[in-house]
Amino acid sequence: MDYQWYPGHMTRARRQMQEDVRLVDLVIELTDARAPLSGRNPDIDSLAAGKSRILVLNKSDLADPEQNKAWTAFFRKDGLVACEVNARSGNGIRQIRPMIAEACREKIERDRSRGIMNRPLRAMIAGIPNVGKSTFINSFAGKASAKTGNKPGVTRGRQWISVERTLQLLDTPGILWPRFDDRQVGIRLAEIGCIRDEILDAQELACELISWMRAAYPQVLSERYGISPDGTAFEVLGRIAEARRCLKAGGEPDCGKAAALLLDEFRSGRLGRMTLEKAPD
Ligand code: G4P
């Protein structure tokens, strides 16, 4: 499998985030609950050095509920303030405010001891493409929020969204790039739809997904498609094609079409809630 990314795009995104992060007290990092490790970029540690941090496992509605709990506990044990959220429905968003207070406790106390009261905290949302950053900003900031406009000398031209009076959110999210040095990471990111389809071989990807699903969630394929999950992954893909009438003109199974269908059903959650990476015990 050949992963491609655009170095110019990557460099620009990094530079932008390095600039923006200087303006904030807090970085709210989003990862995908279906692949919480692959969905993070390790550079976030150096990029957000010295800032308070929150880790949001977004798209939790698509991930295995048990694994959501296990991953949240894992990250919390690791010292991160973490939670699961469904930014699309708004589920879990309400816990973000108290979590910000928890993550920024030291700063709030420091300000207080210096006699600085009620200075709004400033936060930015960061994460890899398609993880749900814009959806999260809309959901979190909500209708009650208002853009505060430019504040020369303070925001250097950036737009801020006031969330009540105590928080300001940078309206442009920090884009992190995914890691491509590990083949498995690339596969998971492609499976959850963070890498564009056209730079991947969909059939190869669908076969990887079938192999993984048979081991991790053995009932899913037979229940959803009414097929036997035995044999090679490619044979299974052929059976999915037949079951879903993805056929070429001569009646041959169209595995390309079946691969697209399987990936779409997985990504949209129609195959059920699944997590590609298991939380360590
Ligand atoms: P980004 O800014 O990080 O690039 O991501 P964005 O908010 O654009 O979200 C990417 C896609 O993920 C969108 O779907 C969005 O609706 C979906 N999404 C975001 N958060 C969640 C979540 O918690 N659960 C689920 N199930 N989906 C989520 P789309 O199909 O690209 O757009 P649309 O159909 O919603 O318009």
Side-chain angles (χ1 to χ4, degrees):
M1 198 175 291
D2 185 23
Y3 313 124
Q4 294 175 30
W5 199 252
Y6 307 101
H9 182 89
M10 249 163 69
T11 314
R12 263 198 311 281
R14 187 187 169 91
R15 202 176 304 133
Q16 184 72 55
M17 182 152 172
Q18 268 169 335
E19 268 180 38
D20 285 349
V21 84
R22 283 196 234 131
L23 307 172
V24 300
D25 307 299
L26 170 82
V27 175
I28 302 175
E29 181 195 355
L30 264 63
T31 188
D32 193 303
R34 294 166 296 173
L37 293 183
S38 298
R40 301 184 73 195
N41 181 298
D43 288 350
I44 184 81
D45 286 336
S46 57
L47 280 165
K51 305 291 173 185
S52 299
R53 298 259 294 274
I54 286 180
L55 180 66
V56 173
L57 282 83
N58 192 38
K59 307 198 184 185
S60 60
D61 54 309
L62 302 174
D64 186 329
E66 290 299 316
Q67 285 296 311
N68 286 345
K69 282 200 202 89
W71 274 113
T72 307
F74 169 81
F75 287 122
R76 282 191 163 256
K77 222 170 172 180
D78 210 34
L80 267 170
V81 179
C83 68
E84 50 175 288
V85 156
N86 171 357
R88 201 181 238 174
S89 72
N91 230 355
I93 290 286
R94 266 192 306 188
Q95 51 186 329
I96 301 294
R97 289 308 304 258
M99 283 176 60
I100 290 174
E102 183 187 341
C104 295
R105 192 182 301 132
E106 272 180 31
K107 183 190 159 33
I108 294 166
E109 276 165 14
R110 210 169 42 237
D111 274 3
R112 204 166 284 161
S113 69
R114 291 178 186 156
I116 305 167
M117 306 296 267
N118 302 326
R119 180 160 69 187
L121 291 166
R122 284 171 297 189
M124 80 180 293
I125 311 298
I128 65 170
N130 220 27
V131 74
K133 298 180 294 298
S134 310
T135 312
F136 180 88
I137 290 173
N138 287 336
S139 182
F140 179 52
K143 292 192 183 74
S145 64
K147 288 202 176 185
T148 56
N150 294 345
K151 286 185 185 165
V154 181
T155 61
R156 284 191 264 155
R158 294 278 177 277
Q159 287 283 318
W160 296 88
I161 304 168
S162 282
V163 187
E164 295 158 11
R165 265 181 308 188
T166 52
L167 181 71
Q168 292 186 343
L169 203 61
L170 200 55
D171 84 336
T172 39
I175 299 170
L176 297 166
W177 47 97
R179 285 176 49 199
F180 287 101
D181 46 355
D182 178 336
R183 183 172 187 271
Q184 283 307 318
V185 169
I187 288 170
R188 287 181 204 124
L189 292 171
E191 286 169 343
I192 61 176
C194 280
I195 304 176
R196 288 184 307 168
D197 273 351
E198 59 264 37
I199 59 171
L200 293 154
D201 179 337
Q203 290 187 47
E204 196 182 341
L205 191 61
C207 285
E208 293 278 355
L209 187 62
I210 288 168
S211 302
W212 169 79
M213 238 185 269
R214 283 197 300 205
Y217 297 89
Q219 315 303 330
V220 168
L221 290 167
S222 50
E223 279 175 13
R224 176 81 185 165
Y225 301 110
I227 54 161
S228 157
D230 300 333
T232 66
F234 195 71
E235 284 164 358
V236 175
L237 189 59
R239 272 179 233 134
I240 293 173
E242 282 165 358
R244 286 304 168 96
R245 309 295 298 157
C246 299
L247 304 173
K248 293 182 184 160
E252 292 271 293
D254 186 339
C255 286
K257 221 168 165 183
L261 178 129
L262 178 75
L263 289 168
D264 182 54
E265 296 208 334
F266 173 73
R267 288 171 186 161
S268 63
R270 272 170 283 161
L271 283 175
R273 298 176 65 171
M274 287 183 262
T275 300
L276 293 166
E277 289 169 342
K278 206 164 175 286
D281 288 329

